[in-house]
Amino acid sequence: MANRQSFRSRLVRDFVLNKYLYIMMLPVIAYYLVFHYAPMYGALIAFKDYSPMKGILGSDWVGLKHFQDFFGSYYFLRILKNTILISLYTLVFEFPAPIILALLINEVRKKKFKRVVQTITYMPYFISLVVICGIITDFTNADGLINRLFMFLGYDGQAMLQKPELFRPIYVLSEIWQRIGWESIIYIAALMSIDLEQYEAARIDGASRMKQMLYITLPGLLPTIMIMFILRMGNLLNVGFEKIILLYNPVTYETADVISSFVYRKGLLEFGWSYSSAVGLFNSVINLVLLITANAISRRVSQNSLW
C-alpha cells in the first residue's frame, strides 16, 4: 500500500514538473488513438458479412468464410507471389542503397559538394507521388527519354509499363531514386555520433580509409542498421498500393498486382468490404509475425532489438 502511494506521489510530482511536456504529448496520443487503435474495432467485419444498413455489430457472423474464399481463390497465389517478390527485391536493392550513400557522403571532405549531393538526392522524396508516377510513365513511354536513349544505342523502343516482366525492375529502381536521399539522413546522423578519436587512433596506427570504414564506421552504424532492418521487416508485405495503382494496368496485373492493390479493388471498387478486410488482416498478421521474428533474431545475433 505504501509503495502504491509512493508511486502515485512520484507520478503526480513528475506531472507537475513536466506538465508542458505531457500537454505536448496529447496530440500525438490522440492521433494514435483515433487513427490507429480505434479502427481496430472495424477488423471485426473480416469475420462478418458486413452490411452498412446493419452496422458492424448487427451484421451476420460468418467466421473464417472470407479467409477461406481468399485462400482458395485463383488470385491468392498470384498476389502473394507478387507481393513477396516486390518486397524482397525492394529489401535487397533499396534497403542497402541509403546506407551506401551515407557512407560515401561521410567520406567526402568538401562540405559544399556534400551539401549539393544531399540536396539533389533528397528532392525526389518531397515530390508528390502522383507527379513521380507521371514522370516514370512519361520516361518509360515508347517515345520517352529512356527509350530514346535505348534507340540511340540501337535498341527498339517499347512502352515499358505495358511489359509485365519490366514492372518490378521499374518499381524497385524508382523506389531507390525516390527514397535513397531521405532514408540516408538517419544513417548520416548515426555516423555523426561515432567518436572521432577512434579515427585518429586508427590513422596513427596506419589504417587506410577503407579499413577505417570497415572496422570503425560500419560497426558504429550496425545498431542503427539493425533497428531499421527490423522496422522494414515489420512492413515487408506493405507494398505501397498508391504507387502500384498509379503505375499498373490490367496488362501487368500478372506481375504487379499485390495484396494492398487487391484490397483496394475489392473493398472500394467492388464494395467487398468484409472480403477485403479479411485479406488486409491476413497481411497485417504476416507482417506482425515477421516483425517479431526479425526482432528475436537480431537480439540473439547482434544484441540489438526494439524490445
Side-chain angles (χ1 to χ4, degrees):
M1 188 67 178
N3 290 335
R4 184 178 298 178
Q5 291 178 345
S6 175
F7 172 76
R8 289 179 179 175
S9 63
R10 289 199 305 269
L11 185 62
V12 171
R13 185 167 59 252
D14 183 70
F15 181 79
V16 172
L17 292 174
N18 302 293
K19 57 183 178 182
Y20 294 111
L21 294 177
Y22 283 105
I23 292 173
M24 291 174 63
M25 288 172 57
L26 289 178
V28 178
I29 295 173
Y31 167 79
Y32 278 97
L33 288 176
V34 173
F35 295 105
H36 291 269
Y37 286 94
M40 288 183 181
Y41 165 70
L44 280 174
I45 69 175
F47 305 94
K48 294 185 170 232
D49 189 8
Y50 175 69
S51 169
M53 298 297 292
K54 296 180 180 179
I56 295 177
L57 294 180
S59 298
D60 298 329
W61 184 271
V62 296
L64 300 177
K65 175 181 179 297
H66 299 300
F67 293 93
Q68 293 170 349
D69 291 344
F70 174 59
F71 296 148
S73 71
Y74 165 79
Y75 300 104
F76 174 67
L77 291 178
R78 187 185 75 177
I79 66 173
L80 185 63
K81 174 186 173 183
N82 292 339
T83 304
I84 292 174
L85 286 178
I86 291 177
S87 298
L88 288 178
Y89 290 159
T90 305
L91 181 68
V92 171
F93 296 105
E94 192 268 331
F95 181 76
I99 302 173
I100 296 171
L101 178 63
L103 292 172
L104 293 174
I105 290 175
N106 187 59
E107 295 299 316
V108 175
R109 294 293 175 259
K110 293 184 178 180
K111 294 184 178 180
K112 187 174 181 180
F113 179 74
K114 184 185 296 188
R115 287 196 295 268
V116 170
V117 171
Q118 288 178 297
T119 302
I120 292 173
T121 54
Y122 295 165
M123 286 175 63
Y125 185 82
F126 296 99
I127 300 175
S128 168
L129 184 59
V130 175
V131 176
I132 287 287
C133 292
I135 293 172
I136 295 170
T137 302
D138 288 341
F139 279 14
T140 56
N141 280 337
D143 59 347
L145 177 62
I146 296 176
N147 275 297
R148 288 182 181 275
L149 293 175
F150 283 144
M151 286 188 288
F152 178 77
L153 297 174
Y155 296 96
D156 295 330
Q158 56 182 332
M160 295 182 174
L161 287 177
Q162 300 297 322
K163 300 288 185 180
E165 66 274 11
L166 295 179
F167 183 87
R168 292 170 190 156
I170 291 173
Y171 180 90
V172 174
L173 289 173
S174 63
E175 280 288 289
I176 295 173
W177 169 61
Q178 187 180 1
R179 305 179 66 89
I180 185 172
W182 176 254
E183 293 182 354
S184 68
I185 294 176
I186 298 174
Y187 301 108
I188 292 172
L191 289 172
M192 297 298 102
S193 64
I194 299 176
D195 189 359
L196 296 178
E197 292 183 359
Q198 297 183 51
Y199 292 102
E200 294 176 2
R203 282 194 292 269
I204 292 173
D205 291 340
S208 63
R209 292 178 67 174
M210 180 59 70
K211 289 185 176 180
Q212 291 176 40
M213 181 186 295
L214 291 176
Y215 297 108
I216 299 176
T217 306
L218 282 177
L221 202 57
L222 185 60
T224 304
I225 293 175
M226 293 308 302
I227 295 299
M228 296 302 295
F229 178 76
I230 294 170
L231 293 173
R232 177 62 66 88
M233 289 298 294
N235 289 287
L236 186 64
L237 299 185
N238 285 345
V239 180
F241 79 96
E242 300 96 338
K243 191 172 185 179
I244 294 286
I245 290 170
L246 289 168
L247 291 178
Y248 80 165
N249 56 72
V251 177
T252 57
Y253 279 175
E254 179 185 349
T255 57
D257 197 19
V258 295
I259 292 177
S260 55
S261 60
F262 184 74
V263 168
Y264 167 78
R265 288 204 315 277
K266 288 292 182 181
L268 296 181
L269 301 184
E270 300 179 16
F271 304 106
W273 297 295
S274 294
Y275 185 83
S276 62
S277 296
V279 178
L281 185 59
F282 163 75
N283 189 41
S284 299
V285 170
I286 296 299
N287 279 328
L288 178 61
V289 171
L290 290 173
L291 174 65
I292 295 173
T293 303
N295 188 76
I297 294 174
S298 176
R299 184 173 60 245
R300 178 170 296 184
V301 173
S302 67
Q303 308 303 317
N304 296 299
S305 62
L306 289 175
W307 65 85

